[in-house]
Amino acid sequence: MNKPMRRVAVFCGLLILALLVRVNWVQFVQADDLQNHEDNRRVAIERYAHPRGNIIVDGEPITGSVETDDTDFTYKRTWTDGEMWAPVTGYASQRYGTTLLEGVNDSILTGDDDRLFFNRTIDMLTGEDQRGGNVVTTLDADAQRAAFEGLGDNKGAVVAIDPRTGEILALVSTPSYDPSTFAGNSTDDDEAWAALQPDNNPDDPMLNRALRETYPPGSTFKIVTAAAALENGLVDDVNEETEYEDPYILPDTADVELPNQIPNVCEDASIREAIRWSCNSVFAGLSNDLGNETMIEAAESFGYNEEPFIPVRATASSYPEDNRPQNAQAGIGQASNRATPLQMAMVAAAVANNGSLMRPYMVDQLVAPNLNVVEQHEPDEMSRPMSSDTARQLQDAMEYMVEESSIDTGSVEGATIGGKTGTAQHGENNEELPYAWFISYAMTDEGSPVAVAVVVEDGSDERDQISGSGLAAPIAIDVIEAVLEGENAG
């Protein structure tokens, strides 16, 4: 073979080798990614070739599947009380994919999960269509409805947790949306989807405010600051007088005053009285004396600066590195301090559970079509932000706060209510209407079965009508009542 021919042969050999490498790379390395890519239409067609399994609440399905006339998509997803449950289930749309529990558990719901191989094999041998498994949640339908109806037409969110286990009992975000309106593949579905997007709907109903929105937590964060002061020995007990003047002068400023909402009750106030009167001066002083690093550690022990997975991902709450005046204000839940409603429910739950923070979760079991349990969640302790002694002192202070307030707890029987109100500034120089917060728990002889966080964004057009006790607390009390009635009945 002459030299030119030899070069051509070598070149062709290299081309063939490159082709073989590429084919094997696609077949053995990229195959799964390509098969499961969201833009692969075959994935969506296969997803709806069989009825999906269901999401279960209190033993009843809140989802379903109906047969369609579509040539590609045999089945379409349906929901019961879609608006109420959308912040939990998310959506499963032939056109727009899946989110939240529908997305995280897609392989179980479609029946494609490797753990359902035996079921698929049996179905194939017996000639049955493939069936999806079920997702059994920890949600309490009565608590969810109480939260959803309590928020009504307001923008806001509610999260309720069983402090003893971390089970999420209610998770509501309003305004919400009905995922049934765009579950299919038609022009109507496209129009319904477009109408829900932020460009067309400024209320952004598809934003999950319970998990994905962070707010300044306002005075509800003072519970974290109080826990940090007690745990670090800055204050020995909640009845000890502090030494903070009213108004408090922010450190490293030109005598910038931080006033209190109620005059003449906060100077040198104890933590117990400071929680009752929501004294900015006391908690800003405590935060400043503890320092930024200690406050970050305290916040992180409650779950700040970390994305929780429940198993749906939630946005991380933030207590950042800051200078002294900013850190003092972050200690009262302002400045750069941002928290999700889930995070503040975790704060209340840790106090109610004697200092132990259980990892929050809302899926108890994954179940195969033949009802065999594929996966069982076991509660586990996420952290211990405070000692049991500190927790009991804060319980005393939070129960004292509710007892001395105008909050009506008359509908709750057989339990003591502890809580902390908050009114968080909104917008530059607080130009927007403030947020109303309330975090709370119920305590019974058997411990605390429920802790709740409520935030209301726009409860009133009049600034002086917005308060945690007036807007958020009644919703929390209704949720607590619903949970306790279920406990007593069950």
Side-chain angles (χ1 to χ4, degrees):
M1 183 180 294
N2 59 35
K3 191 172 183 180
M5 288 296 293
R6 189 165 57 248
R7 287 177 175 173
V8 171
V10 170
F11 179 70
C12 291
L14 290 174
L15 288 178
I16 293 171
L17 180 61
L19 182 61
L20 289 173
V21 170
R22 178 60 181 166
V23 168
N24 281 276
W25 177 263
V26 170
Q27 186 163 355
F28 295 107
V29 178
Q30 292 185 310
D32 285 343
D33 289 341
L34 293 173
Q35 285 176 356
N36 297 315
H37 196 280
E38 60 182 12
D39 293 330
N40 185 345
R41 185 173 169 79
R42 292 181 180 178
V43 174
I45 292 173
E46 177 60 25
R47 179 180 285 145
Y48 298 102
H50 318 280
R52 287 171 71 84
N54 282 316
I55 297 174
I56 308 293
V57 174
D58 290 343
E60 300 292 333
I62 59 171
T63 57
S65 296
V66 293
E67 202 161 356
T68 72
D69 296 328
D70 194 286
T71 54
D72 286 339
F73 302 99
T74 309
Y75 289 90
K76 186 170 78 171
R77 193 55 149 167
T78 63
W79 291 263
T80 302
D81 291 326
E83 280 193 66
M84 185 174 80
W85 290 113
V88 173
T89 63
Y91 57 81
S93 168
Q94 295 168 357
R95 181 70 66 89
Y96 299 105
T98 59
T99 58
L100 302 182
L101 289 186
E102 294 276 16
V104 170
N105 299 291
D106 188 55
S107 65
I108 286 289
L109 293 168
T110 59
D112 290 335
D113 194 280
D114 290 343
R115 291 168 289 182
L116 301 180
F117 174 78
F118 180 74
N119 290 86
R120 290 197 299 272
T121 304
I122 295 297
D123 287 345
M124 183 178 66
L125 293 175
T126 57
E128 289 193 31
D129 286 340
Q130 180 173 315
R131 295 169 294 164
N134 293 331
V135 176
V136 181
T137 73
T138 61
L139 278 296
D140 179 322
D142 292 335
Q144 183 83 359
R145 188 169 298 282
F148 185 68
E149 293 179 352
L151 284 170
D153 294 332
N154 295 317
K155 281 192 284 189
V158 178
V159 177
I161 296 176
D162 185 335
R164 302 166 300 187
T165 61
E167 292 179 349
I168 291 177
L169 305 173
L171 195 149
V172 169
S173 173
T174 57
S176 186
Y177 63 96
D178 184 354
S180 299
T181 59
F182 58 91
N185 192 38
S186 67
T187 303
D188 288 345
D189 293 285
D190 287 342
E191 291 175 353
W193 170 269
L196 293 169
Q197 302 312 300
D199 289 344
N200 300 319
N201 190 331
D203 288 339
D204 200 1
M206 296 187 74
L207 170 64
N208 193 320
R209 291 173 165 81
L211 300 178
R212 302 280 172 82
E213 181 68 301
T214 60
Y215 303 85
S219 295
T220 59
F221 187 81
K222 291 169 181 172
I223 299 303
V224 176
T225 304
L230 290 163
E231 286 295 293
N232 287 278
L234 186 60
V235 178
D236 289 333
D237 67 68
V238 294
N239 294 306
E240 174 186 319
E241 283 192 356
T242 60
E243 296 180 351
Y244 300 109
E245 296 181 348
D246 177 12
Y248 181 73
I249 307 298
L250 287 173
D252 296 344
T253 67
D255 294 334
V256 175
E257 293 182 352
L258 184 65
N260 292 303
Q261 187 172 7
I262 309 296
N264 306 319
V265 293
C266 290
E267 183 158 343
D268 301 336
S270 67
I271 284 179
R272 191 168 187 258
E273 291 296 332
I275 286 176
R276 175 191 177 190
W277 298 111
S278 204
C279 297
N280 293 331
S281 53
V282 171
F283 292 101
L286 291 172
S287 184
N288 179 56
D289 287 347
L290 287 165
N292 186 233
E293 185 175 342
T294 300
M295 285 301 298
I296 290 174
E297 291 174 358
E300 289 182 347
S301 70
F302 282 92
Y304 266 69
N305 298 337
E306 179 182 348
E307 288 184 337
F309 288 82
I310 61 170
V312 173
R313 180 187 65 82
T315 299
S317 300
S318 172
Y319 195 106
E321 294 183 12
D322 239 329
N323 58 32
R324 292 183 68 203
Q326 289 286 307
N327 178 64
Q329 293 182 84
I332 62 169
Q334 295 291 169
S336 301
N337 188 339
R338 306 281 301 189
T340 61
L342 171 65
Q343 174 62 71
M344 296 317 295
M346 291 162 64
V347 170
V351 174
N353 198 37
N354 298 323
S356 173
L357 175 60
M358 301 300 288
R359 192 176 303 280
Y361 66 101
M362 62 178 177
V363 174
D364 184 45
Q365 292 180 336
L366 301 179
V367 181
N370 62 3
L371 302 184
N372 284 340
V373 176
V374 174
E375 183 177 309
Q376 172 72 56
H377 185 93
E378 297 296 336
D380 71 307
E381 187 179 70
M382 179 175 171
S383 63
R384 182 167 278 277
M386 71 196 97
S387 66
S388 56
D389 179 61
T390 294
R392 278 191 280 272
Q393 291 195 58
L394 291 179
Q395 290 167 15
D396 175 67
M398 292 174 72
E399 289 162 17
Y400 175 64
M401 180 265 144
V402 173
E403 182 182 332
E404 296 296 318
S405 75
S406 59
I407 298 169
D408 184 2
T409 63
S411 60
V412 176
E413 296 180 357
T416 304
I417 307 299
K420 180 71 192 81
T421 56
T423 307
Q425 294 186 2
H426 180 197
E428 190 172 350
N429 298 320
N430 200 23
E431 292 175 345
E432 306 287 336
L433 293 173
Y435 302 118
W437 276 94
F438 188 59
I439 63 171
S440 59
Y441 63 84
M443 188 66 72
T444 69
D445 293 340
E446 287 77 39
S448 175
V450 58
V452 188
V454 178
V455 62
V456 181
E457 290 188 24
D458 54 354
S460 173
D461 293 333
E462 298 180 31
R463 178 177 294 268
D464 59 0
Q465 297 298 311
I466 296 175
S467 69
S469 59
L471 295 176
I475 301 171
I477 297 301
D478 286 348
V479 173
I480 288 172
E481 184 183 356
V483 173
L484 291 176
E485 285 181 354
E487 288 265 314
N488 294 333

